[in-house]
Amino acid sequence: MRLAVLGGGGFRVPLVYGALLRDTAKPRVEEVVLYDVSPERLEAISHVLRGMAAGHDDPPAVRVTTDLDDALTGADFVFSAIRVGGLAGRTADERVALELGLVGQETTGPGGIAYGLRTVPVAVRVAERVAARAPRAWVINFTNPAGMITEAMRSVLGDRVIGICDSPIGLIRRAAGALGLDPARVSPDYVGLNHLGWLRGLVHDGRDVLPSLLADDAALHQVEEARLLGADWVRVLGALPNEYLYYYYFARQAVAAGAGTTRGEALLEQQGRFYAAVRERPGDALDAWRRARKERDESYMAEAREATDAGERSAEDLEAGGYEGIALALMAAIARGEPATMILNVRNGAAVPGLPDDAVVEIPCAVDGSGVRPLATRPLPGRFLGLMQQVKEVEQTAIEAAMTGSSRLAVAAFALHPLVDSVPTAHRLLDGYRARIPELAAVFPG
C-alpha cells in the first residue's frame, strides 16, 4: 500500500513512521510519500526517518515532494496533517484572543475559529485533488480543528474522509487504568464533537463501572482530566469531560494562565531549535527529534495543569502514543478487514439525537473492510447537548464563511461562540486576525 502524508515536514510525522515500522501484518504500507510546501522541513524529517529505519530489514520506502498531485497519485490512504499559516499563525490565533480578554487556544474558542476559517478553503482544495488523483483513497484527517475540517472535506469526499483525535482514547485509557482494568476490555459511552465530549459510561463485563470511579477519591485522582477540572465538578456532571472542556468550564483561569508564553509561542521556539539543529547536524537528526519530542509531550497543557495544580503528566501517558496508533488501527480495520470499534469524527446521521444529520460528531464507530458505521448514542442531557448544538452551529457557520469569503458570516461565527462575549468583540477578533495572519486576510480581504 502507498500512504501519502500531507504536512510531511511536520514534527509529528516520525511518530507515524515509527508505527509503520512496528507494523508487520499484511498488507502493509510499502511506500510513504511526504508532501509539504517547505523543502527544508521535508529534508529535516527525512533525516529523522532515515535514522529510524536504520537496522530494520524492510522499512517502508520514503519519498518527498512539494507537488500535491504527485503525492496523491496512486495513494491508498492519505493522512492530512496540514497547518495553514504554520506555527506563526497559531501564535496569532492564541494571542489575538488573549489580548481581548478571551481564551487563547489553538482549537477551542476564537483561535479555533480563526484556524478553521483559513484552513477550510485549503482542505477543500486538497479534497478536490484527492478526488481527481486518488478517488479510491481513504483520507484520515489529523488537521485541526478536526471536526470542522473533516466536515468541510466531506462536501467533496463523503464517507471516504474520517477525522481522528487521540484525546478520547487517552481519557478512556486513563479511566480504565485508574480502576485496574484493561482498556481493550471496556466499552466506552463517549459522545461529543472534536475537543468537546464526555465519557458518560464505561462498561466492563456488562456493568457500567464509571459510577464506581467517580465515587472513589483515590482512583479519580489518577485521571488527569479529573485533576484538571476537579473531582467535585466531574461528579456534578456525572461524566468525565474531554480535557479541552477545561477552556469552557474554567475560562477565566485559562485566560489568566495565558498571560505568559502561549503554547504556540513555546512550540515555535522548540521546533525552531529542532529544525536548526538538524540543518547543522543532519546525522544527529533522530536524537534531536527525540529530545524535542520529550520536551513537547511533557509541556502539553502545562499552563492548565499549573493553574489547577493537576500535577505532571504520567509516564504511562507519555509512552502510550496517540494519533499514530489510532490512524494505523483505522487503516488496518479498513485495508485488512479487521473489525474494530473506534471513536472517530464522522457524519452524524441519526446517531446523536438533537444534532443535524450532516454534522460531524465524535462518537464510537464500527469499522471493517466496508468502511465506518457510527453507532447510536443515548440521548444527551441539556447541559451537554446545548453546548454541542451551539458549537456545531459555530462550526457550520465558519465553514460557510470560509467557502464564500463572507466577512459577515465570519463575524457571526465568532459572535455565536459561547467563549466570545459580544458582537463588537467578534468584529475586533476578525480585524485582529486579518491584520496578523496573511492566509486569513486572503480569505476575507475586507
Side-chain angles (χ1 to χ4, degrees):
M1 293 190 296
R2 176 178 294 171
L3 168 65
V5 180
L6 313 184
F11 183 79
R12 291 192 292 183
V13 168
L15 296 173
V16 172
Y17 191 69
L20 292 174
L21 289 171
R22 296 188 294 273
D23 184 29
T24 58
K26 301 290 185 178
R28 63 190 290 262
V29 171
E30 297 174 341
E31 183 183 27
V32 180
V33 183
L34 305 181
Y35 162 80
D36 205 288
V37 297
S38 168
E40 295 79 12
R41 290 170 67 90
L42 281 174
E43 182 179 8
I45 294 301
S46 295
H47 286 302
V48 177
L49 302 194
R50 278 195 286 272
M52 297 177 76
H56 289 265
D57 292 335
D58 186 27
V62 176
R63 183 167 65 84
V64 303
T65 181
T66 56
D67 184 312
L68 178 60
D69 281 3
D70 176 38
L72 294 173
T73 301
D76 298 288
F77 287 88
V78 178
F79 288 178
S80 181
I82 60 177
R83 181 177 288 281
V84 178
L87 282 174
R90 176 174 179 168
T91 64
D93 291 337
E94 297 163 344
R95 198 44 80 186
V96 167
L98 285 166
E99 288 173 0
L100 292 173
L102 305 175
V103 168
Q105 208 281 326
E106 174 194 20
T107 63
T108 302
I113 298 170
Y115 192 8
L117 288 173
R118 66 178 181 274
T119 303
V120 162
V122 177
V124 170
R125 287 197 293 273
V126 166
E128 291 168 347
R129 297 319 302 157
V130 172
R133 305 299 297 189
R136 296 183 62 81
W138 290 88
V139 176
I140 300 177
N141 178 53
F142 296 65
T143 301
N144 279 323
M148 188 192 304
I149 301 306
T150 301
E151 188 164 326
M153 295 181 80
R154 278 190 53 84
S155 65
V156 178
L157 298 172
D159 292 341
R160 295 192 82 86
V161 58
I162 304 158
I164 66 169
C165 181
D166 58 355
S167 289
I169 191 63
L171 170 58
I172 293 159
R173 185 173 60 235
R174 288 185 283 274
L179 292 169
L181 302 176
D182 180 355
R185 297 191 58 196
V186 298
S187 178
D189 175 5
Y190 184 92
V191 63
L193 309 178
N194 180 242
H195 288 184
L196 194 156
W198 300 264
L199 180 63
R200 302 186 296 168
L202 194 67
V203 176
H204 180 260
D205 287 343
R207 182 174 71 90
D208 184 3
V209 296
L210 186 63
S212 300
L213 174 58
L214 294 178
D216 187 330
D217 287 342
L220 196 57
H221 188 73
Q222 297 178 49
V223 181
E224 182 170 321
E225 288 80 357
R227 296 197 305 272
L228 191 64
L229 286 90
D232 288 345
W233 181 239
V234 300
R235 286 170 178 147
V236 167
L237 295 174
L240 284 173
N242 183 295
E243 60 201 346
Y244 285 86
L245 277 158
Y246 166 81
Y247 297 104
Y248 291 89
Y249 295 141
F250 292 82
R252 288 177 182 266
Q253 290 74 17
V255 172
T261 301
T262 69
R263 177 66 170 168
E265 289 163 350
L267 289 179
L268 186 62
E269 180 183 349
Q270 288 176 20
Q271 293 190 20
R273 291 198 307 268
F274 160 71
Y275 287 103
V278 175
R279 282 195 301 270
E280 293 176 9
R281 295 185 179 86
D284 296 335
L286 180 55
D287 286 341
W289 179 81
R290 285 172 173 160
R291 289 192 299 272
R293 181 202 170 189
K294 184 174 185 292
E295 182 181 0
R296 176 191 176 109
D297 288 350
E298 290 177 346
S299 61
Y300 177 69
M301 289 191 78
E303 78 291 345
R305 287 187 279 107
E306 182 177 349
T308 58
D309 292 324
E312 299 299 320
R313 297 190 68 194
S314 71
E316 291 80 6
D317 276 346
L318 293 174
E319 294 168 1
Y323 287 89
E324 69 281 2
I326 300 167
L328 263 67
L330 178 55
M331 285 176 57
I334 294 173
R336 299 171 190 154
E338 302 172 357
T341 300
M342 308 178 66
I343 296 173
L344 302 168
N345 285 265
V346 296
R347 181 181 184 273
N348 178 37
V352 181
L355 288 181
D357 290 354
D358 62 346
V360 164
V361 293
E362 191 169 78
I363 56 173
C365 300
V367 189
D368 57 25
S370 65
V372 177
R373 178 171 58 87
L375 301 177
T377 64
R378 292 186 292 118
L380 285 156
R383 62 184 178 275
F384 299 159
L385 180 59
L387 184 56
M388 286 178 62
Q389 288 173 328
Q390 189 173 2
V391 173
K392 177 50 64 176
E393 178 68 18
V394 168
E395 290 183 353
Q396 294 189 329
T397 302
I399 290 170
E400 186 179 356
M403 293 309 299
T404 61
S406 169
S407 296
R408 179 179 62 85
L409 287 175
V411 169
F414 286 118
L416 290 169
H417 199 283
L419 292 177
V420 176
D421 55 8
S422 75
V423 174
T425 299
H427 282 277
R428 294 175 67 190
L429 283 165
L430 181 58
D431 289 343
Y433 287 127
R434 274 197 292 224
R436 297 198 200 182
I437 305 175
E439 294 81 2
L440 192 143
V443 180
F444 304 99

